């Protein structure tokens, strides 16, 4: 600031005489302003300093804020890694791991906040950071606690659920009804704990569904086992009972019902068919029919009748248990001895033949399965009522199983149930018609209401009828084979056949006759049709063949290589006939009514096969078709020569004296230029007629040879 300071006024200069003196203007008095100006300057400077102080404070505040925000950002990033890292983050921990890491994670967050705060520059920054980190930590603690609680709850629920599933499986596979009931209750208890942990109120729909679902799984598992074992009737009973008691869900019930109902219908149809098939007489009214039923239950098909441990009662053969029959040597027990034991101990001694016919089978089967004493007790308690007897037997099975839990496997228990079911279907539902006619048995199915069950019953009847008919035929054929072996062993051997009376009349006649030669027509038929060498067909021709011929053909039609043998024989047969035609001997093939020619044909066929068999045995291998053809040509050459001699024989033709021909002079006549020979038409016609009449395939050369023969005779 520039200041203008006024000094002493300048005096007016004299201008001369008459000049008025200069007067100074009117001015204020002069003051000293310097101190005031200094004060003003200081005040100005102080204002500037204050402004500078405020600016510096503002700048510091902004620095503190930025630093705090950076620290807060770094803290959140580190906390994010601690909580959210997919590999190690706490919020990704599961189950008990979440529970165990809970406190440690809180400490790590607190330490992280402390370390971050320690890196700040002043109290203001630390105070600002503390204000924000409090909010963060509150949020973090809430999330961590929620995660730990949820995971811990989920873990224990899963543990309870796993135990429930474990006991469900144990209930399904239990060895006894007692164990099954125990495991079922434990599984339900676990399910109840699960419902409580989920906060489900007892009596609520959700609570009820959870408990019912547990029981439903058990019922479903057992029913599926029944189905897989083909026990559809038992499966149906279990399903109906579960539904009645509200222990199976509608979803499970619907899923199982169709399958079980279909299988139960099929099984019922099979049982009905079996019952009708066995009802041609009252099954069990006599020992023979009763033992047939019991045998089917005691001796599994395709086995030797031996069971190492029969339901925990030790070794058994043909249903005869060593423990119940200590006097029996199972190692030497034959079928015949077993049947005789059944007859004496389980039929005659209890006096079953004196009981009503409709209860004899039930009594007999019960005596075999449970002991004669038990059978007598149940019969007395039933009052002679077959239905009551069956129910008492079922109840006795339950008592036995409950008395010794775990002793009898589920397979044994199911076998008992199946046996009494089959017994019930056979013994209770008998008609006693006394017929084995398939048509009559089919009529009995008309009373079956369910169309599908009826269809299956009819199919079962047809299957059983065909099976037994085939089995009876096979048994008879085996007996006949044995009879032939005895009869053919020596002259008059038929007298030593022990089962002579069981043979059919026509077979007895054939055995007494004992063929010395093969019937030509039968043998020819079999040679032309090798497929009939198979078992079940070749036996039909035995009474027409010699022992050796029958055995040779039957041997080729049996065994693993039968198909190959028959195929080879068919090919050999075709090649043999073709070779005959090629050799001009086709007349042998069609001359069935010519006994001598037919016999010659059969002899050639046998010789041809003998040649093949001998050569193959010598070489130790099968012959090729080329090798067989060479054998065939060697076999047919002398036959052809003889035939040619006969056909060209002028005496036979009535043209002159018979010539002495041999194998080696075929062709019979040799000329230098046979193409120059002219056969007269009338002679050619006669020669061709002769050839045709004889069935000879001829060539132009054969005609010339015949013509030369006629010329020589002249």
């Amino acid at each position: 600031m520039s200041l203008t300071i006024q000094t002493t006024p300048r005096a007016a200069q004299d201008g001369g005489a008459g000049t008025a003196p200069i007067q100074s203007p009117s001015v204020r008095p002069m003051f000293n302003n310097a101190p005031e100006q200094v004060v003003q300057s200081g005040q100005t400077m102080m204002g500037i300093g204050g402004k500078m102080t405020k600016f510096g404070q503002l700048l510091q505040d902004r620095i503190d804020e930025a630093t705090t925000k950076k620290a807060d950002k770094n803290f959140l990033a580190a906390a994010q890694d601690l909580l959210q890292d997919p590999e190690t983050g706490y919020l990704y921990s599961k189950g008990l791991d979440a529970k165990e890491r809970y406190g440690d994670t809180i400490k790590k967050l607190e330490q992280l906040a402390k370390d971050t705060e320690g890196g700040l520059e002043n109290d203001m920054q630390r105070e600002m950071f503390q204000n924000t980190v409090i909010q963060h930590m509150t949020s973090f603690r809430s999330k961590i606690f929620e995660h730990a609680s949820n995971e811990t709850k989920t873990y224990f629920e899963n543990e309870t659920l796993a135990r429930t599933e474990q006991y469900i499986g144990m209930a399904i596979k239990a060895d006894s009804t007692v164990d099954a009931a125990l495991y079922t209750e434990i599984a339900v208890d676990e399910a109840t704990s699960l419902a409580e942990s989920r906060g489900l109120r007892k009596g609520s729909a959700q609570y009820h569904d959870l408990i019912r679902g547990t029981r439903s799984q058990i019922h479903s598992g057992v029913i599926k086992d029944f189905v897989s074992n083909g026990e559809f009737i038992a499966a149906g009973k279990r399903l109906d009972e579960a539904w009645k008691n509200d222990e199976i869900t509608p979803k499970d019930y619907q899923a199982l019902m169709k399958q079980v109902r279909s299988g139960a219908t099929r099984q019922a149809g099979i049982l009905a068919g079996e019952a009708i098939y066995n009802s041609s007489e009252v099954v069990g009214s006599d020992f023979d029919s009763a033992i047939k039923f019991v045998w089917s239950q005691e001796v599994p098909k395709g086995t030797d009748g031996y069971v190492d441990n029969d339901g925990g009662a030790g070794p058994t053969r043909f249903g005869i248990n060593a423990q119940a029959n200590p006097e029996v040597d199972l190692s030497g027990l034959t079928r015949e001895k077993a049947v005789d034991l059944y007859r004496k101990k389980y039929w005659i001694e209890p006096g079953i033949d004196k009981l009503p016919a409709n209860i004899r089978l039930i009594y007999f089967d019960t005596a075999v399965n449970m002991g004669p004493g038990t059978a007598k007790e149940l019969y007395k308690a039933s009052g002679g009522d077959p239905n009551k007897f069956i129910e008492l037997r079922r109840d006795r099975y339950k008592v036995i199983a409950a008395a010794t839990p775990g002793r009898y496997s589920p397979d044994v228990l199911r076998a008992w149930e199946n046996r009494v079911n089959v017994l019930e279907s056979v013994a209770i539902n008998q008609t006693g018609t006394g017929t084995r006619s398939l048509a009559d048995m089919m009529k009995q199915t008309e009373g079956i209401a369910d169309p599908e069950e009826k269809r299956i019953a009819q199919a079962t009847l047809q299957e059983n009828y065909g099976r037994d008919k085939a089995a009876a035929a096979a048994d008879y054929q085996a007996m006949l084979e044995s009879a032939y072996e005895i009869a053919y062993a020596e002259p008059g051997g038929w007298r030593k056949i022990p089962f002579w009376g069981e043979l059919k009349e026509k077979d007895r006649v054939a055995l007494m006759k004992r063929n010395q030669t093969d019937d030509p027509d039968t043998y020819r038929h079999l040679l032309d049709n090798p497929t009939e060498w198979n078992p079940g067909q070749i036996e039909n021709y035995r009474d027409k063949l010699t022992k050796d011929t029958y055995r040779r053909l039957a041997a080729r039609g049996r065994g693993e290589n039968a198909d190959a043998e028959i195929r080879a024989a068919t090919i050999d047969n075709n090649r043999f006939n073709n070779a005959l035609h090629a050799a001009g001997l086709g007349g042998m093939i069609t001359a069935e009514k010519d006994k001598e020619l037919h016999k010659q044909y059969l002899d050639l066929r046998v010789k041809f096969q003998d040649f093949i068999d001998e050569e193959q045995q010598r070489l130790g291998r099968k012959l090729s078709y080329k090798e067989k053809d060479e054998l065939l040509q060697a076999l047919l050459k002398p036959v052809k020569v003889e035939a040619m001699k006969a056909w060209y024989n002028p005496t036979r033709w009535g043209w002159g004296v018979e010539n002495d021909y041999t194998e080696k002079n075929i062709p019979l006549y040799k000329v230098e230029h046979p193409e120059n020979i002219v056969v007269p038409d009338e002679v050619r016609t006669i020669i061709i007629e002769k050839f045709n009449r004889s069935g000879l395939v001829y060539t132009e050369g054969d005609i010339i040879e015949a013509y030369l023969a006629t010329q020589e005779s002249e």
Side-chain angles (χ1 to χ4, degrees), residues 88-127:
T88 60
Y90 175 77
L91 296 182
Y92 283 89
S93 60
K94 299 293 182 182
L96 290 182
D97 183 49
K99 179 183 177 183
E100 293 170 355
R101 291 176 56 189
Y102 170 76
D104 185 58
T105 302
I106 295 294
K107 290 180 180 179
K108 287 182 178 180
L109 284 172
E110 292 174 345
Q111 185 61 46
L112 179 63
K114 185 176 180 180
D115 292 343
T116 304
E117 182 181 337
L120 297 176
E121 299 173 354
N122 54 52
D123 293 340
M124 181 59 67
Q125 293 177 6
R126 284 187 282 274
E127 182 181 353

Short mmCIF file of all heavy atoms in Angstrom, two decimals, residues 88-127:
data_model
loop_
_atom_site.label_atom_id
_atom_site.label_comp_id
_atom_site.label_asym_id
_atom_site.label_seq_id
_atom_site.Cartn_x
_atom_site.Cartn_y
_atom_site.Cartn_z
N THR A 88 -11.03 -72.44 0.97
CA THR A 88 -10.79 -72.40 2.41
C THR A 88 -11.76 -71.50 3.16
O THR A 88 -11.72 -71.44 4.39
CB THR A 88 -9.36 -71.88 2.68
OG1 THR A 88 -9.22 -70.56 2.13
CG2 THR A 88 -8.33 -72.81 2.04
N GLY A 89 -12.62 -70.77 2.45
CA GLY A 89 -13.52 -69.82 3.10
C GLY A 89 -14.46 -70.49 4.10
O GLY A 89 -14.97 -71.59 3.86
N TYR A 90 -14.69 -69.79 5.21
CA TYR A 90 -15.51 -70.38 6.27
C TYR A 90 -16.93 -70.64 5.79
O TYR A 90 -17.53 -71.67 6.15
CB TYR A 90 -15.55 -69.45 7.49
CG TYR A 90 -16.49 -69.96 8.55
CD1 TYR A 90 -16.11 -71.01 9.38
CD2 TYR A 90 -17.78 -69.42 8.71
CE1 TYR A 90 -16.97 -71.51 10.35
CE2 TYR A 90 -18.64 -69.91 9.67
CZ TYR A 90 -18.24 -70.96 10.48
OH TYR A 90 -19.10 -71.46 11.42
N LEU A 91 -17.48 -69.73 4.99
CA LEU A 91 -18.87 -69.89 4.56
C LEU A 91 -19.05 -71.06 3.58
O LEU A 91 -20.18 -71.37 3.19
CB LEU A 91 -19.39 -68.60 3.93
CG LEU A 91 -19.47 -67.40 4.88
CD1 LEU A 91 -20.03 -66.18 4.16
CD2 LEU A 91 -20.34 -67.74 6.10
N TYR A 92 -17.94 -71.71 3.20
CA TYR A 92 -18.00 -72.92 2.38
C TYR A 92 -17.77 -74.17 3.22
O TYR A 92 -17.77 -75.28 2.68
CB TYR A 92 -16.97 -72.86 1.25
CG TYR A 92 -17.38 -71.97 0.10
CD1 TYR A 92 -17.06 -70.62 0.10
CD2 TYR A 92 -18.10 -72.49 -0.96
CE1 TYR A 92 -17.44 -69.79 -0.94
CE2 TYR A 92 -18.49 -71.67 -2.02
CZ TYR A 92 -18.15 -70.32 -2.01
OH TYR A 92 -18.54 -69.52 -3.05
N SER A 93 -17.57 -74.02 4.48
CA SER A 93 -17.37 -75.19 5.35
C SER A 93 -18.70 -75.90 5.56
O SER A 93 -19.76 -75.31 5.48
CB SER A 93 -16.77 -74.77 6.69
OG SER A 93 -17.63 -73.86 7.36
N LYS A 94 -18.63 -77.23 5.84
CA LYS A 94 -19.83 -78.04 5.97
C LYS A 94 -19.84 -78.80 7.31
O LYS A 94 -18.79 -79.13 7.86
CB LYS A 94 -19.92 -79.07 4.83
CG LYS A 94 -19.99 -78.45 3.45
CD LYS A 94 -21.29 -77.69 3.26
CE LYS A 94 -21.38 -77.10 1.86
NZ LYS A 94 -22.62 -76.32 1.68
N GLY A 95 -21.05 -79.08 7.77
CA GLY A 95 -21.23 -79.95 8.91
C GLY A 95 -20.50 -79.51 10.16
O GLY A 95 -20.45 -78.32 10.51
N LEU A 96 -19.89 -80.50 10.83
CA LEU A 96 -19.20 -80.21 12.07
C LEU A 96 -17.98 -79.33 11.86
O LEU A 96 -17.53 -78.65 12.79
CB LEU A 96 -18.77 -81.52 12.75
CG LEU A 96 -19.90 -82.37 13.34
CD1 LEU A 96 -19.33 -83.61 14.00
CD2 LEU A 96 -20.71 -81.55 14.34
N ASP A 97 -17.43 -79.33 10.65
CA ASP A 97 -16.30 -78.47 10.35
C ASP A 97 -16.69 -77.01 10.56
O ASP A 97 -15.90 -76.21 11.07
CB ASP A 97 -15.83 -78.71 8.92
CG ASP A 97 -14.59 -77.90 8.58
OD1 ASP A 97 -13.63 -77.92 9.38
OD2 ASP A 97 -14.58 -77.25 7.51
N ALA A 98 -17.91 -76.64 10.16
CA ALA A 98 -18.38 -75.27 10.35
C ALA A 98 -18.50 -74.94 11.83
O ALA A 98 -18.15 -73.84 12.29
CB ALA A 98 -19.73 -75.09 9.66
N LYS A 99 -18.97 -75.90 12.60
CA LYS A 99 -19.11 -75.69 14.04
C LYS A 99 -17.74 -75.51 14.69
O LYS A 99 -17.53 -74.63 15.54
CB LYS A 99 -19.84 -76.87 14.67
CG LYS A 99 -20.01 -76.75 16.17
CD LYS A 99 -20.68 -77.99 16.74
CE LYS A 99 -20.78 -77.89 18.26
NZ LYS A 99 -21.38 -79.11 18.85
N GLU A 100 -16.80 -76.36 14.31
CA GLU A 100 -15.48 -76.34 14.93
C GLU A 100 -14.68 -75.09 14.53
O GLU A 100 -13.85 -74.60 15.31
CB GLU A 100 -14.72 -77.60 14.54
CG GLU A 100 -15.33 -78.87 15.13
CD GLU A 100 -14.73 -80.14 14.56
OE1 GLU A 100 -13.91 -80.01 13.62
OE2 GLU A 100 -15.08 -81.23 15.02
N ARG A 101 -14.90 -74.55 13.34
CA ARG A 101 -14.13 -73.38 12.87
C ARG A 101 -14.78 -72.06 13.25
O ARG A 101 -14.23 -71.00 12.96
CB ARG A 101 -13.98 -73.46 11.34
CG ARG A 101 -13.07 -74.57 10.86
CD ARG A 101 -13.05 -74.65 9.34
NE ARG A 101 -12.67 -73.38 8.76
CZ ARG A 101 -12.74 -73.11 7.45
NH1 ARG A 101 -13.19 -74.03 6.62
NH2 ARG A 101 -12.37 -71.93 6.98
N TYR A 102 -15.95 -72.13 13.87
CA TYR A 102 -16.70 -70.91 14.17
C TYR A 102 -15.88 -69.93 15.00
O TYR A 102 -15.64 -68.79 14.61
CB TYR A 102 -18.00 -71.28 14.89
CG TYR A 102 -18.74 -70.09 15.45
CD1 TYR A 102 -19.47 -69.26 14.62
CD2 TYR A 102 -18.69 -69.79 16.82
CE1 TYR A 102 -20.15 -68.17 15.13
CE2 TYR A 102 -19.37 -68.70 17.34
CZ TYR A 102 -20.10 -67.90 16.49
OH TYR A 102 -20.77 -66.82 16.99
N GLY A 103 -15.43 -70.33 16.19
CA GLY A 103 -14.69 -69.42 17.09
C GLY A 103 -13.39 -68.96 16.48
O GLY A 103 -13.01 -67.77 16.61
N ASP A 104 -12.68 -69.86 15.82
CA ASP A 104 -11.40 -69.51 15.23
C ASP A 104 -11.57 -68.45 14.15
O ASP A 104 -10.74 -67.55 14.00
CB ASP A 104 -10.75 -70.77 14.65
CG ASP A 104 -9.36 -70.50 14.13
OD1 ASP A 104 -8.51 -70.05 14.90
OD2 ASP A 104 -9.13 -70.78 12.92
N THR A 105 -12.67 -68.54 13.38
CA THR A 105 -12.90 -67.56 12.31
C THR A 105 -13.17 -66.18 12.90
O THR A 105 -12.68 -65.16 12.37
CB THR A 105 -14.09 -68.02 11.44
OG1 THR A 105 -13.79 -69.31 10.90
CG2 THR A 105 -14.34 -67.05 10.30
N ILE A 106 -13.95 -66.12 13.98
CA ILE A 106 -14.21 -64.84 14.65
C ILE A 106 -12.90 -64.21 15.12
O ILE A 106 -12.64 -63.01 14.93
CB ILE A 106 -15.16 -65.03 15.84
CG1 ILE A 106 -16.55 -65.49 15.37
CG2 ILE A 106 -15.27 -63.74 16.65
CD1 ILE A 106 -17.29 -64.47 14.55
N LYS A 107 -12.04 -65.02 15.71
CA LYS A 107 -10.75 -64.52 16.19
C LYS A 107 -9.90 -64.00 15.04
O LYS A 107 -9.21 -62.98 15.16
CB LYS A 107 -10.01 -65.61 16.94
CG LYS A 107 -10.63 -65.97 18.28
CD LYS A 107 -9.83 -67.08 18.98
CE LYS A 107 -10.44 -67.44 20.32
NZ LYS A 107 -9.70 -68.53 20.99
N LYS A 108 -9.93 -64.71 13.93
CA LYS A 108 -9.13 -64.27 12.78
C LYS A 108 -9.64 -62.94 12.25
O LYS A 108 -8.84 -62.07 11.86
CB LYS A 108 -9.18 -65.32 11.68
CG LYS A 108 -8.36 -66.57 11.99
CD LYS A 108 -8.41 -67.56 10.83
CE LYS A 108 -7.56 -68.80 11.12
NZ LYS A 108 -7.61 -69.76 10.00
N LEU A 109 -10.94 -62.75 12.24
CA LEU A 109 -11.49 -61.47 11.80
C LEU A 109 -11.09 -60.34 12.76
O LEU A 109 -10.73 -59.23 12.34
CB LEU A 109 -13.01 -61.56 11.69
CG LEU A 109 -13.56 -62.32 10.47
CD1 LEU A 109 -15.06 -62.49 10.59
CD2 LEU A 109 -13.22 -61.55 9.18
N GLU A 110 -11.19 -60.62 14.05
CA GLU A 110 -10.80 -59.61 15.04
C GLU A 110 -9.33 -59.27 14.92
O GLU A 110 -8.93 -58.09 15.01
CB GLU A 110 -11.12 -60.12 16.45
CG GLU A 110 -12.61 -60.23 16.73
CD GLU A 110 -12.90 -60.87 18.07
OE1 GLU A 110 -11.96 -61.47 18.64
OE2 GLU A 110 -14.06 -60.77 18.55
N GLN A 111 -8.49 -60.25 14.71
CA GLN A 111 -7.06 -60.01 14.55
C GLN A 111 -6.79 -59.22 13.28
O GLN A 111 -5.93 -58.33 13.24
CB GLN A 111 -6.29 -61.34 14.51
CG GLN A 111 -4.78 -61.18 14.48
CD GLN A 111 -4.24 -60.47 15.71
OE1 GLN A 111 -4.64 -60.81 16.84
NE2 GLN A 111 -3.36 -59.48 15.54
N LEU A 112 -7.54 -59.54 12.24
CA LEU A 112 -7.40 -58.81 10.99
C LEU A 112 -7.76 -57.34 11.18
O LEU A 112 -7.06 -56.43 10.67
CB LEU A 112 -8.30 -59.45 9.92
CG LEU A 112 -8.30 -58.80 8.54
CD1 LEU A 112 -6.90 -58.87 7.90
CD2 LEU A 112 -9.31 -59.49 7.61
N ALA A 113 -8.82 -57.09 11.92
CA ALA A 113 -9.22 -55.70 12.19
C ALA A 113 -8.15 -54.99 13.02
O ALA A 113 -7.80 -53.82 12.77
CB ALA A 113 -10.56 -55.68 12.91
N LYS A 114 -7.60 -55.69 14.01
CA LYS A 114 -6.58 -55.10 14.86
C LYS A 114 -5.32 -54.79 14.08
O LYS A 114 -4.72 -53.70 14.23
CB LYS A 114 -6.26 -56.07 16.00
CG LYS A 114 -5.28 -55.53 17.03
CD LYS A 114 -5.11 -56.53 18.17
CE LYS A 114 -4.13 -56.00 19.20
NZ LYS A 114 -3.94 -56.96 20.32
N ASP A 115 -4.90 -55.71 13.20
CA ASP A 115 -3.71 -55.48 12.39
C ASP A 115 -3.91 -54.31 11.44
O ASP A 115 -3.00 -53.50 11.22
CB ASP A 115 -3.36 -56.74 11.59
CG ASP A 115 -2.91 -57.88 12.49
OD1 ASP A 115 -2.57 -57.61 13.65
OD2 ASP A 115 -2.92 -59.05 12.01
N THR A 116 -5.11 -54.22 10.88
CA THR A 116 -5.39 -53.13 9.95
C THR A 116 -5.37 -51.79 10.68
O THR A 116 -4.82 -50.79 10.21
CB THR A 116 -6.76 -53.34 9.29
OG1 THR A 116 -6.78 -54.62 8.64
CG2 THR A 116 -7.05 -52.26 8.27
N GLU A 117 -5.96 -51.75 11.87
CA GLU A 117 -5.98 -50.53 12.67
C GLU A 117 -4.57 -50.12 13.06
O GLU A 117 -4.23 -48.93 13.08
CB GLU A 117 -6.84 -50.77 13.92
CG GLU A 117 -6.97 -49.54 14.81
CD GLU A 117 -7.79 -49.82 16.04
OE1 GLU A 117 -8.61 -50.78 16.01
OE2 GLU A 117 -7.63 -49.10 17.04
N GLY A 118 -3.72 -51.09 13.36
CA GLY A 118 -2.35 -50.78 13.76
C GLY A 118 -1.55 -50.14 12.65
O GLY A 118 -0.53 -49.48 12.89
N GLY A 119 -1.96 -50.29 11.43
CA GLY A 119 -1.23 -49.70 10.31
C GLY A 119 -1.63 -48.29 9.98
O GLY A 119 -1.10 -47.69 9.04
N LEU A 120 -2.58 -47.73 10.75
CA LEU A 120 -3.02 -46.36 10.48
C LEU A 120 -2.08 -45.35 11.15
O LEU A 120 -1.35 -45.67 12.09
CB LEU A 120 -4.46 -46.19 10.98
CG LEU A 120 -5.50 -47.08 10.26
CD1 LEU A 120 -6.87 -46.92 10.89
CD2 LEU A 120 -5.55 -46.73 8.78
N GLU A 121 -2.15 -44.03 10.73
CA GLU A 121 -1.13 -43.04 11.08
C GLU A 121 -1.48 -42.23 12.34
O GLU A 121 -0.59 -41.73 13.02
CB GLU A 121 -0.91 -42.10 9.91
CG GLU A 121 -0.43 -42.83 8.66
CD GLU A 121 -0.39 -41.91 7.45
OE1 GLU A 121 -0.85 -40.75 7.58
OE2 GLU A 121 0.08 -42.36 6.38
N ASN A 122 -2.76 -42.04 12.59
CA ASN A 122 -3.10 -41.17 13.72
C ASN A 122 -4.39 -41.66 14.37
O ASN A 122 -5.05 -42.58 13.88
CB ASN A 122 -3.26 -39.72 13.26
CG ASN A 122 -4.25 -39.59 12.11
OD1 ASN A 122 -5.37 -40.07 12.21
ND2 ASN A 122 -3.84 -38.95 11.02
N ASP A 123 -4.72 -41.02 15.44
CA ASP A 123 -5.89 -41.42 16.22
C ASP A 123 -7.18 -41.22 15.44
O ASP A 123 -8.14 -41.98 15.60
CB ASP A 123 -5.95 -40.64 17.53
CG ASP A 123 -4.81 -41.02 18.46
OD1 ASP A 123 -4.26 -42.14 18.25
OD2 ASP A 123 -4.51 -40.26 19.39
N MET A 124 -7.17 -40.07 14.65
CA MET A 124 -8.37 -39.80 13.89
C MET A 124 -8.68 -40.95 12.93
O MET A 124 -9.82 -41.43 12.82
CB MET A 124 -8.23 -38.48 13.12
CG MET A 124 -9.49 -38.14 12.30
SD MET A 124 -10.97 -37.98 13.32
CE MET A 124 -10.55 -36.52 14.26
N GLN A 125 -7.65 -41.42 12.23
CA GLN A 125 -7.84 -42.54 11.30
C GLN A 125 -8.28 -43.78 12.05
O GLN A 125 -9.16 -44.52 11.60
CB GLN A 125 -6.54 -42.81 10.54
CG GLN A 125 -6.12 -41.70 9.60
CD GLN A 125 -4.80 -41.99 8.92
OE1 GLN A 125 -4.24 -43.06 9.06
NE2 GLN A 125 -4.31 -40.97 8.20
N ARG A 126 -7.68 -44.06 13.18
CA ARG A 126 -8.04 -45.25 13.95
C ARG A 126 -9.47 -45.16 14.46
O ARG A 126 -10.21 -46.14 14.47
CB ARG A 126 -7.06 -45.43 15.11
CG ARG A 126 -5.71 -45.97 14.64
CD ARG A 126 -4.81 -46.31 15.81
NE ARG A 126 -4.22 -45.11 16.39
CZ ARG A 126 -3.10 -44.55 15.96
NH1 ARG A 126 -2.44 -45.06 14.94
NH2 ARG A 126 -2.62 -43.46 16.56
N GLU A 127 -9.84 -43.93 14.88
CA GLU A 127 -11.20 -43.76 15.36
C GLU A 127 -12.22 -43.97 14.24
O GLU A 127 -13.25 -44.63 14.42
CB GLU A 127 -11.36 -42.35 15.96
CG GLU A 127 -12.76 -42.11 16.53
CD GLU A 127 -12.90 -40.72 17.11
OE1 GLU A 127 -11.89 -40.00 17.18
OE2 GLU A 127 -14.03 -40.35 17.48
#
